[in-house]
Amino acid sequence: MSMDHRTKEAVRYLGYGTHAVDDKTLALVGEMFRELDQTVRRRIVYRIFELESDGDDKVRIGQLDIASRNLAKNMRGCAQAAMLGATLGIEADMLMKRYSVTDISKAVVAQACAAAMLEEYLDDWQEELREQKREEGYFLRPRFSPGYGDFDIHHQEDMLRMLDSARKIGLTMTDAHMLSPSKSVTAVIGMSREDIACHRVGCEACGKTDCMYRRES
C-alpha cells in the first residue's frame, strides 16, 4: 500500500523505522487522520523581528537575547527572524485523552498522527511564508525550536509572551515548560538576503543513525 508524506511521518513516529508496516496499522492511521481532520483547530501566530548576531554563540531577536551556538549558526547571515507559535488546539488533546481511556492502541496512533499533522501544517505554512518573503528579497532558513541543541527550552516562555499567544490562539505553557495544548510548537525562522545552502537539521543532521524514529535519507 502506497503512503503519502504525512502517513510516512506518522509511521515513523510509531517507531517502525525502516521496517514494513502492516495493513491493519495503516488502516488505523488513515482512520485517525480522518478523525483528526474533522476535530482539530489548526491555529498559528507569528511576528517578524529584526535580528542581530553577537559572535558565534549569541543572537538578539527583537528584544530577546538568546545564548545558543546552534541557533547562532542557523541564523548566521540573517537580518530578520519569524517567531511563531502553532497548535492543533485543545480538541486534539481531548481526542487523545478519550482514546487513552477507551482504546490504548488508538491513543498511540492518534499521538503519532497528530504529531505528523502538526508538522505538515507548519511545512505548508512555511512554504507560503517562503513565497511571500521571496518577493521581498528574503530567503528562509529551516525552523529552529527551543529545546533543539543548546537553544534553551526556557525561552519558550519569552516567545509566548512576545507573541501574545495565550490571547491570540490559546497557546500557553505549564510550570514544567511544556506547551499546552500538547500538540503545539514554537520556533524561529531566520531570513537572509542571500540564498545560501543551509546546514541540515533534524534527522539529517543527527549522528544517531540507529534511532528507531529516524527518517530515511
Side-chain angles (χ1 to χ4, degrees):
M1 184 182 297
S2 61
M3 293 186 283
D4 58 19
H5 178 70
R6 71 174 183 176
T7 299
K8 289 180 181 178
E9 285 295 280
V11 168
R12 182 177 68 84
Y13 282 121
L14 286 170
Y16 277 86
T18 59
H19 299 290
V21 56
D22 59 276
D23 289 344
K24 182 178 179 181
T25 299
L26 283 178
L28 187 53
V29 166
E31 177 186 339
M32 284 299 103
F33 273 130
R34 288 189 291 273
E35 189 159 2
L36 284 164
D37 280 329
Q38 296 171 1
T39 302
V40 303
R41 292 182 60 202
R42 302 170 181 84
R43 284 166 288 180
I44 192 165
V45 59
Y46 77 98
R47 291 181 63 189
I48 295 176
F49 296 95
E50 297 301 309
L51 182 145
E52 299 177 10
S53 296
D54 184 6
D56 293 332
D57 58 0
K58 293 180 182 178
V59 295
R60 184 177 180 86
I61 301 176
Q63 299 300 310
L64 178 60
D65 292 310
I66 303 171
S68 167
R69 183 173 295 274
N70 297 138
L71 182 62
K73 182 179 181 182
N74 180 276
M75 297 288 167
R76 189 171 297 145
C78 293
Q80 293 184 344
M83 183 181 295
L84 66 92
T87 183
L88 297 185
I90 191 67
E91 295 83 4
D93 283 3
M94 292 172 64
L95 179 70
M96 292 182 292
K97 184 177 181 180
R98 172 162 59 86
Y99 278 128
S100 69
V101 174
T102 61
D103 191 327
I104 193 62
S105 62
K106 284 189 176 182
V108 171
V109 173
Q111 285 276 356
C113 289
M117 181 177 285
L118 181 58
E119 285 295 311
E120 179 186 53
Y121 175 46
L122 283 168
D123 288 344
D124 290 346
W125 174 84
Q126 188 168 337
E127 189 57 34
E128 292 179 6
L129 181 65
R130 185 186 309 280
E131 293 303 315
Q132 172 191 325
K133 297 304 290 186
R134 187 186 297 274
E135 295 178 2
E136 300 173 21
Y138 285 98
F139 300 91
L140 270 58
R141 300 291 173 83
R143 290 191 302 273
F144 207 100
S145 293
Y148 186 84
D150 62 354
F151 185 9
D152 198 322
I153 192 72
H154 291 79
H155 282 302
Q156 282 196 142
E157 183 174 7
D158 302 312
M159 294 170 64
L160 295 181
R161 183 174 60 252
M162 292 168 70
L163 293 169
D164 192 17
S165 65
R167 182 178 66 86
K168 291 183 176 178
I169 62 171
L171 177 57
T172 62
M173 191 182 68
T174 69
D175 291 339
H177 294 91
M178 301 295 290
L179 292 174
S180 179
S182 65
K183 291 309 175 188
S184 305
V185 70
T186 60
V188 293
I189 303 171
M191 301 178 183
S192 173
R193 290 289 187 182
E194 295 183 68
D195 186 11
I196 61 174
C198 302
H199 68 286
R200 296 179 298 175
V201 298
C203 293
E204 295 78 10
C206 180
K208 188 172 175 55
T209 57
D210 61 344
C211 175
M212 65 188 297
Y213 302 111
R214 188 177 180 86
R215 291 188 185 91
E216 295 182 18
S217 56

